[in-house]
């Protein structure tokens, strides 16, 4: 089993949490990014820098992640592609993407994209904090336990 991380969009606290779990539980971590990012100096962590371009990292993740793996990402369309392939997906705030909630998650994402384009709303999610890190750690623990069975 591997845990893949969309490293361009994943907060460092969440990446560090995945590495701590990897060291304790003995699985590999692959950071996928469109540009060089800091890679923890552990043998279980690998960095893949993909050529720049729209959705290059997303396409790499969909192509290489396999059922039984986990992908950490906050990109809803990417998560939809992964879930359809049978790959588990979790966002850095601890919300799991699955077949039951993908329709709703895509609809909400599309609604907010439209509202932003019309100028009705601005900004995005708030800053990543300790509460988010804890929710992510709890969800990651549950999901890894389930995937290991």
């Amino acid at each position: 089993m591997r845990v893949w991380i969309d490293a361009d969009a994943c907060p460092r606290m969440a990446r560090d949490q995945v590495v701590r779990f990897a060291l304790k539980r003995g699985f590999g971590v692959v950071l996928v990014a469109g540009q060089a990012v800091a890679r923890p100096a552990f043998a279980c962590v690998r960095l893949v820098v993909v050529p720049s371009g729209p959705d290059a990292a997303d396409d790499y993740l969909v192509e290489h992640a396999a059922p039984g793996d986990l992908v950490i990402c906050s990109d809803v369309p990417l998560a939809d592609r992964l879930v359809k392939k049978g790959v588990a997906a979790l966002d850095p705030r601890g919300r799991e993407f699955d077949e039951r909630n993908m329709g709703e998650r895509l609809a909400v994402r599309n609604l907010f994209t439209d509202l932003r384009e019309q100028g009705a709303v601005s900004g995005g999610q708030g800053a990543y904090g300790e509460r988010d890190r804890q929710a992510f750690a709890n969800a990651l623990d549950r999901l890894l336990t389930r995937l290991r069975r």
Side-chain angles (χ1 to χ4, degrees):
M1 181 186 111
R2 278 188 238 155
V3 174
W4 302 79
I5 300 176
D6 182 358
D8 289 325
C10 186
R12 185 179 191 113
M13 285 196 309
R15 281 186 282 166
D16 292 347
Q17 188 73 47
V18 172
V19 172
R20 283 193 288 279
F21 273 83
L23 292 169
K24 287 180 186 174
R25 297 184 183 200
F27 58 83
V29 176
V30 183
L31 304 172
V32 179
Q35 58 191 350
V37 295
R39 182 187 76 80
F42 298 105
C44 65
V45 181
R46 196 177 92 195
L47 172 63
V48 175
V49 178
V50 297
S52 63
D55 298 327
D58 295 2
D59 293 342
Y60 186 93
L61 287 163
V62 171
E63 182 179 337
H64 291 88
D69 289 347
L70 170 62
V71 176
I72 309 300
C73 66
S74 53
D75 184 320
V76 177
L78 168 59
D80 184 51
R81 292 170 64 192
L82 292 163
V83 167
K84 286 177 179 170
K85 186 179 173 184
V87 176
L90 179 68
D91 84 0
R93 295 176 186 266
R95 295 177 297 238
E96 185 177 354
F97 296 99
D98 59 30
E99 294 167 347
R100 295 182 318 262
N101 68 17
M102 279 314 310
E104 178 185 340
R105 301 279 299 262
L106 280 167
V108 169
R109 180 245 184 217
N110 293 338
L111 172 65
F112 276 97
T113 298
D114 290 344
L115 290 172
R116 268 192 299 280
E117 288 172 357
Q118 295 171 13
V121 295
S122 62
Q125 294 183 3
Y128 193 84
E130 182 58 31
R131 181 176 292 180
D132 298 311
R133 188 201 64 75
Q134 187 62 49
F136 175 69
N138 291 338
L140 181 63
D141 183 45
R142 283 190 306 273
L143 195 49
L144 289 172
T145 299
R146 191 170 75 224
L147 288 171
R148 289 265 181 172
R149 288 185 186 156

